[in-house]
Amino acid sequence: MAAPTVRFAPSPTGRIHIGNARTALLNALYARKLGGRFILRFDDTDLERSRQEYVEAIDVDLRWLGVEPDVTVRQSERFALYDEAAAHLKARGRLYPCYETAEELDRRRKRQQARNLPPVYDRAALDLTDADRARLEAEGRRPHWRFKLDWVPVIWIDLIRGECRIDCASLSDPVLIREDGTYLYTLPSVADDLDLGVTHIIRGEDHVTNTAVQIQIFEALGGAAPIFGHHNLLTTASGEGLSKRSGALSIGGLREAGIESLAVAALAVLTGSSDSVHPVTSLDELAAIFDFTHISRNPARFDPAEVETLSARTIHGLPFADVAERLAALGIAGEKAEPFWLAVRGNLERLADAETWWGIVEGPIEPAREDPEFLSEALDLLPSEPWDAGIWSAWTGQIKAATGRKGKALFHPLRLALTGRETGPELAALLPLIGRAKAVDRLAGRDA
Ligand code: GLU
């Protein structure tokens, strides 16, 4: 199969959340897996609601997630293409002017409902003569433009949902251009997908009906419709949808809270699929696991508390090379950095917490001395350097033999004196990092 071209098409009217990340990642990982192209398209034809700050924030959020677009386009810079597509449709009688006001349409819908008819646009505007239109325009009315649907069932084989069928005879002809000449999302999206050679449109299942309409528009523009895949939407555990405006689980918010991007990615991709949600160490690993056929048709419910746990579990498995730069930014560098990371990662909830443990290893700390007599005995038995990885068990073995202590009575005073903490990473790994000189001072009760 030829490499796919996919796109993620957010409107920059807010920050993206984990549900949007799901769409972005399903596209990006599909392209990654098959050596395809990933396009980031900003759907910013709504010039009032779109904001540059959101364009920038979305870009930052995606890069943080590891999603690097091959191409970025903005619909606000591509109006000529949409005008051309609109002209093409008008010339073929597929885009027709309508003059009804919102109130008129509303009254008509209510009449239809009262008679138990489906609230579908009745195409009254198609009966207008040139003279009617001229009169309406003279009254100051401006047309909005509707796409004339073919009243046939549209059928496609969805990558995720299998065979889908929507009968366009039950839909209103969709408005593509508003009275003020601005475009709604439907037509520009198709014009762009054709122009940019998009082969696969992977998006949320809230777009299923749009797809039937858009397949007809692709064909009316003389193109072939791409392959579609509609994924289930992420909801909270109580079944609520995620909203851009509420900021619930926004990618920026998760990043600022110190959540690992790989945990967000794994949750976004694996929730609501037959693959269990588990930590991954790279997007390639995630790309290898995910499969459209594993995605369920039920809503993908997840518990926000899972974000925290999965983030911690992700950290516990991250190799040093993958975090070296971030550790260096926290001042954790040098030859000790790698063994230090391996010693502490299993105890971290946030990567930034490594700084606390680095401070403990490097000192100074205020040692907490419990049982000074015992500590001075332990100090006398502390082997001289060089130390190897077995130093902790050798030393505590000797203390045990000399004092008869074991378990908590043996280890707890040592941990407290050496780290100033009740709990923490394995001392077998920490002691060689602390080193003999500091260990001596701390056992003797001196700040070091
Ligand atoms: N801007 C649309 C949205 O965010 C894009 C839908 C699509 O992928 O075609 O819903």
Side-chain angles (χ1 to χ4, degrees), residues 140-342:
R141 294 219 197 181
R142 292 286 163 267
H144 55 275
W145 296 78
R146 290 190 190 256
F147 178 67
K148 188 164 172 244
L149 288 168
D150 271 338
W151 281 345
V152 295
V154 171
I155 298 167
W156 72 94
I157 307 298
D158 195 279
L159 275 179
I160 298 167
R161 295 161 66 92
E163 185 174 303
C164 292
R165 179 192 169 98
I166 302 260
D167 189 357
C168 285
S170 64
L171 305 179
S172 292
D173 287 340
V175 176
L176 301 191
I177 305 175
R178 297 185 189 89
E179 253 176 48
D180 63 1
T182 59
Y183 288 97
L184 281 101
Y185 139 84
T186 317
L187 178 64
S189 182
V190 174
D192 281 331
D193 289 333
L194 275 175
D195 183 61
L196 299 166
V198 169
T199 60
H200 293 70
I201 296 183
I202 317 300
R203 58 187 179 186
E205 64 189 10
D206 48 336
H207 285 288
V208 166
T209 307
N210 283 338
T211 293
V213 168
Q214 288 182 325
I215 286 177
Q216 287 204 1
I217 299 179
F218 274 108
E219 288 166 0
L221 289 175
I227 294 167
F228 286 88
H230 295 88
H231 63 78
N232 52 7
L233 301 179
L234 281 190
T235 68
T236 60
S238 57
E240 260 170 78
L242 307 175
S243 138
K244 238 186 216 179
R245 268 162 287 281
S246 70
L249 296 162
S250 81
I251 300 301
L254 294 169
R255 180 177 61 245
E256 279 146 30
I259 299 293
E260 288 300 303
S261 64
L262 279 172
V264 175
L267 264 173
V269 171
L270 300 177
T271 302
S273 81
S274 56
D275 302 300
S276 63
V277 175
H278 61 275
V280 294
T281 52
S282 69
L283 284 188
D284 282 333
E285 187 183 337
L286 201 53
I289 300 167
F290 110 94
D291 189 319
F292 290 130
T293 64
H294 296 181
I295 297 178
S296 153
R297 295 187 59 161
N298 300 321
R301 284 171 195 258
F302 83 106
D303 177 358
E306 252 189 285
V307 177
E308 304 274 338
T309 351
L310 193 68
S311 180
R313 287 173 62 207
T314 300
I315 290 178
H316 302 167
L318 285 178
F320 174 70
D322 293 359
V323 291
E325 238 174 78
R326 291 164 68 198
L327 293 178
L330 296 171
I332 302 170
E335 58 182 22
K336 256 195 222 173
E338 179 162 13
F340 165 79
W341 173 249
L342 298 177

Side-chain angles (χ1 to χ4, degrees), residues 27-40:
N27 279 288
L29 295 184
Y30 188 57
R32 184 183 277 245
K33 199 163 163 155
L34 298 175
R37 221 159 54 106
F38 174 82
I39 298 168
L40 172 59

